[in-house]
Amino acid sequence: MLSTIDILARMKERLGSYYKVAQELGVHPNRVNQMRHHGGKLTFEQGLIAAKFLGVSDESIILSLAAERSRNTPSFENLARLAAKHTTNFGALASVFALAILASGELLTNPTVSSLTESLTQMA
């Protein structure tokens, strides 16, 4: 499950600043600051913008945001479980791409590495 803070942090990693995150989301920088420090949540529309930017499925973001909003309710566990099923394992994907960079041309010819890459890509 991706929380608002996780989503904003991942966007900042790619863009370099929260100011640029605010621009990408079409909100004032104070809104991003409010989400980061005072418990604000991304709207579903902002979540869809983030999903497209991060290359994450719309379902993953919407389910994660719905779970985040339902915290302390009976439906939280079910929504969090569904969100986890749809959330890409970014750490595993990053490891595969790091391996690809190190292995360079070997990636396409090594059946084990190729199979692992395909499996992780299908998880996304």
Side-chain angles (χ1 to χ4, degrees), residues 31 35 41-48 61-62 65 69:
R31 172 73 177 127
M35 287 186 274
K41 310 284 186 268
L42 287 167
T43 65
F44 290 125
E45 292 79 15
Q46 293 162 348
L48 292 173
I61 296 290
I62 296 299
L65 293 175
R69 285 180 173 77

Side-chain angles (χ1 to χ4, degrees), residues 27-62:
V27 298
H28 193 278
N30 288 344
R31 172 73 177 127
V32 171
N33 186 53
Q34 188 262 341
M35 287 186 274
R36 290 180 51 229
H37 297 290
H38 304 291
K41 310 284 186 268
L42 287 167
T43 65
F44 290 125
E45 292 79 15
Q46 293 162 348
L48 292 173
I49 293 168
K52 188 174 190 175
F53 178 81
L54 294 171
V56 177
S57 73
D58 293 350
E59 294 85 3
S60 171
I61 296 290
I62 296 299

Side-chain angles (χ1 to χ4, degrees), residues 57-91:
S57 73
D58 293 350
E59 294 85 3
S60 171
I61 296 290
I62 296 299
L63 286 168
S64 291
L65 293 175
E68 186 176 32
R69 285 180 173 77
S70 72
R71 203 172 292 278
N72 300 322
T73 69
S75 61
F76 173 73
E77 287 183 32
N78 289 330
L79 284 167
R81 187 174 31 77
L82 285 170
K85 282 184 180 179
H86 288 278
T87 301
T88 303
N89 186 339
F90 285 103

